[in-house]
Amino acid sequence: MALIAIVVPQVGEAIAEARLVEWQVDEGDPVVNGSVLFIVDTEKAEVEVEAFVDGVIREILVGADSPVMPGQRVGTMLVERSKVPLHAGTDGKAEPSPGDVRPTTGSPEGSARSGVPAKGASPLARRRARELDIDIPEVLSAVDGKVSADDVEAFSRNRARKTPRFHRLGRLQRAVARATTVSKQTVPHFYLDMAVDMTAVVSHRGRSTPRHSVTSYVVAACVLALAEHPDLNVSFKENGLVGREEVSVGVAVATDQGLMVPVLADLTDVGLADIGDRLRQAVERARLRRLVSSDHGLRSMVVTNLGMFGVDRFHAIINQPDPFILAVGKTGEQVVAIDGEITIRPTAVLSLSADHRVVDGVTAARLLGSIVTHLEQLEGSVWS
């Protein structure tokens, strides 16, 4: 057997510090590849960190509700030496077999996982306090005994009654506020609007089972357009451009805690059906604040859709280091002239926000035009 480290992965761009929310396993537990080991809370989401090999949890080094950093060792696990991944280091020492490892026992006060004494706060209460930006000691001063999630909710409501004129932003909302402020101040945005005839999309949706969202069609069109313009699959960094091979598209998702942007990674040669399925799953994880590691990463561009709220058109703010964000307005009937005849067609407006350090107006117009063409024609195996 070999002993390997369990470390905190890099969960998103520029994340220097996070918080280990809770462990989903105990010392001595057997785990399989893909099972959830622990949950990490960043400013943007709670991420489930999964095992990358079968093994047995040997030791938990960092308790719940503790600050951690990417790359930090938080535990160890025993694996068969023949199954040790290439990227996992071992200490080269023989270890007891899994049968010799037993779960630790004892009171909550002595557990490495608890992080609080018995008269402190439950894990659910601590999580809810983080979401509401409440310090547990404040609640403890008003509660006799262990703090529950209901106590945190009651404290929050009471605080709101006392300070009705001020709403304190949650961690995610503060992160979005900081990022959008820096981006708007430092990125030279410019905007292009283009109307798209959605007749083909409306017809295709009516025939499809399951019925995919309009956003799925737009994401698929973006992937095809970027494949035609690979030189635009880049980001600006320190007076240069960083290119990437795979096409990955982020999708803006509104949650009760703020805006989140899960990534649909490596969409090259992926069809509409798979895009629709992956999008539905990513949206669900975002709304539950249960994003996984694969939901983070570099984005070729982002799609944001407010058409379902009746918005005709809007211009979105780029989230660095993304080069583009595409805003989608509502699809509505419009009177148009086609071949000299007046007719009514379902039409939407796409608005592309672009980073002028990455692209000029003509090149961005070609990209937007390609997206529109693919939505109007729906040609190729991608749409089947």
Side-chain angles (χ1 to χ4, degrees):
M1 301 295 289
L3 188 68
I4 65 173
I6 302 172
V7 302
V8 178
Q10 181 68 45
V11 285
E13 309 100 353
I15 300 297
E17 183 175 305
R19 183 166 294 276
L20 195 156
V21 178
E22 61 184 355
W23 286 88
Q24 301 294 296
V25 294
D26 284 307
E27 293 177 348
D29 282 355
V31 295
V32 297
N33 186 2
S35 59
V36 178
L37 299 180
F38 57 91
I39 298 172
V40 172
D41 183 18
T42 71
E43 287 186 324
K44 295 186 176 182
E46 288 188 354
V47 179
E48 295 179 340
V49 178
E50 301 173 349
F52 50 84
V53 66
D54 298 349
V56 176
I57 301 302
R58 181 69 172 85
E59 186 178 13
I60 291 175
L61 302 174
V62 177
D65 201 26
S66 299
V68 292
M69 301 187 67
Q72 179 178 341
R73 178 173 172 169
V74 295
T76 59
M77 61 185 293
L78 285 168
V79 303
E80 292 184 17
R81 191 169 293 275
S82 61
K83 295 183 178 180
V84 175
L86 294 177
H87 64 276
T90 67
D91 59 10
K93 298 178 181 179
E95 291 291 333
S97 67
D100 295 330
V101 182
R102 296 288 184 269
T104 56
T105 58
S107 66
E109 293 88 343
S111 170
R113 295 182 57 204
S114 64
V116 294
K119 291 187 178 181
S122 69
L124 184 58
R126 294 198 302 274
R127 179 184 300 176
R128 191 67 184 124
R130 283 192 299 273
E131 293 172 349
L132 296 173
D133 201 27
I134 292 174
D135 292 329
I136 285 296
E138 295 182 66
V139 188
L140 280 169
S141 65
V143 176
D144 183 17
K146 190 171 183 177
V147 175
S148 68
D150 289 340
D151 294 328
V152 175
E153 296 281 359
F155 184 89
S156 177
R157 290 192 296 270
N158 185 54
R159 185 176 66 177
R161 284 194 296 269
K162 292 180 179 179
T163 56
R165 295 182 180 274
F166 177 75
H167 171 67
R168 183 170 180 144
L169 297 178
R171 295 182 68 208
L172 175 58
Q173 292 170 315
R174 295 201 303 273
V176 171
R178 286 195 299 269
T180 52
T181 299
V182 171
S183 179
K184 192 64 174 177
Q185 291 175 342
T186 60
V187 175
H189 289 62
F190 70 95
Y191 311 96
L192 301 174
D193 297 342
M194 195 173 291
V196 52
D197 186 337
M198 298 290 281
T199 300
V201 172
V202 171
S203 176
H204 193 279
R205 290 187 74 208
R207 300 190 308 269
S208 299
T209 304
R211 190 180 185 189
H212 301 298
S213 66
V214 170
T215 302
S216 298
Y217 287 85
V218 176
V219 170
C222 289
V223 173
L224 293 172
L226 284 167
E228 294 173 348
H229 301 276
D231 54 320
L232 299 185
N233 194 10
V234 296
S235 298
F236 179 84
K237 183 178 181 180
E238 297 176 358
N239 298 318
L241 298 179
V242 179
R244 58 183 71 89
E245 293 297 326
E246 64 182 43
V247 176
S248 300
V249 178
V251 179
V253 180
T255 74
D256 57 0
Q257 298 297 316
L259 186 67
M260 303 182 72
V261 186
V263 180
L264 306 184
D266 196 8
L267 295 177
T268 307
D269 299 325
V270 176
L272 174 66
D274 288 337
I275 289 175
D277 290 341
R278 289 175 58 178
L279 178 58
R280 279 190 290 270
Q281 295 168 14
V283 169
E284 182 178 1
R285 290 194 298 271
R287 288 176 177 164
L288 293 174
R289 292 201 73 202
R290 279 288 184 260
L291 295 184
V292 296
S293 299
S294 59
D295 291 318
H296 299 274
L298 291 176
R299 301 179 286 251
S300 305
M301 65 187 305
V302 172
V303 172
T304 176
N305 187 353
L306 293 179
M308 66 285 289
F309 299 103
V311 176
D312 292 315
R313 72 176 72 190
F314 65 105
H315 295 149
I317 299 174
I318 296 169
N319 186 17
Q320 294 181 285
D322 305 336
F324 310 103
I325 182 168
L326 183 69
V328 183
K330 74 174 183 181
T331 299
E333 293 186 339
Q334 296 290 329
V335 177
V336 296
I338 299 178
D339 297 328
E341 299 290 334
I342 300 299
T343 185
I344 296 177
R345 292 292 181 90
T347 304
V349 175
L350 305 183
S351 300
L352 183 69
S353 303
D355 183 344
H356 216 313
R357 300 171 302 180
V358 173
V359 65
D360 59 28
V362 171
T363 309
R366 288 172 179 156
L367 175 66
L368 182 56
S370 293
I371 295 171
V372 168
T373 297
H374 286 296
L375 286 172
E376 292 182 340
Q377 297 179 354
L378 297 191
E379 293 179 351
S381 59
V382 169
W383 309 103
S384 59

